[in-house]
Amino acid sequence: MAFPRYKGADGVEAFCALLVEESGVLFLPSTIYSSDLGLTPTDRLRRFRARQP
């Protein structure tokens, strides 16, 4: 699993919301994840691809 960095001025959460609203592509901002091992970066995202049943 990897979290690509988003460098846009609007922030990763706004970018993820825009993608799902305009194109149906689901990216999750890293801020929804947490870890006991360390801090979770706030400028990362994770992409999911839906599969056909």
Side-chain angles (χ1 to χ4, degrees):
M1 172 174 25
F3 292 103
R5 177 173 288 153
Y6 178 70
K7 295 182 177 183
D10 55 340
V12 70
E13 291 187 10
F15 177 68
C16 289
L18 181 69
L19 281 175
V20 77
E21 290 170 7
E22 291 191 358
S23 63
V25 175
L26 179 60
F27 280 77
L28 296 176
S30 61
T31 54
I32 69 164
Y33 297 95
S34 64
S35 173
D36 293 334
L37 300 176
L39 297 176
T40 304
T42 60
D43 62 346
R44 306 292 176 131
L45 52 97
R46 182 172 181 202
R47 180 180 75 105
F48 289 87
R49 182 173 51 173
R51 295 184 181 181
Q52 295 292 334

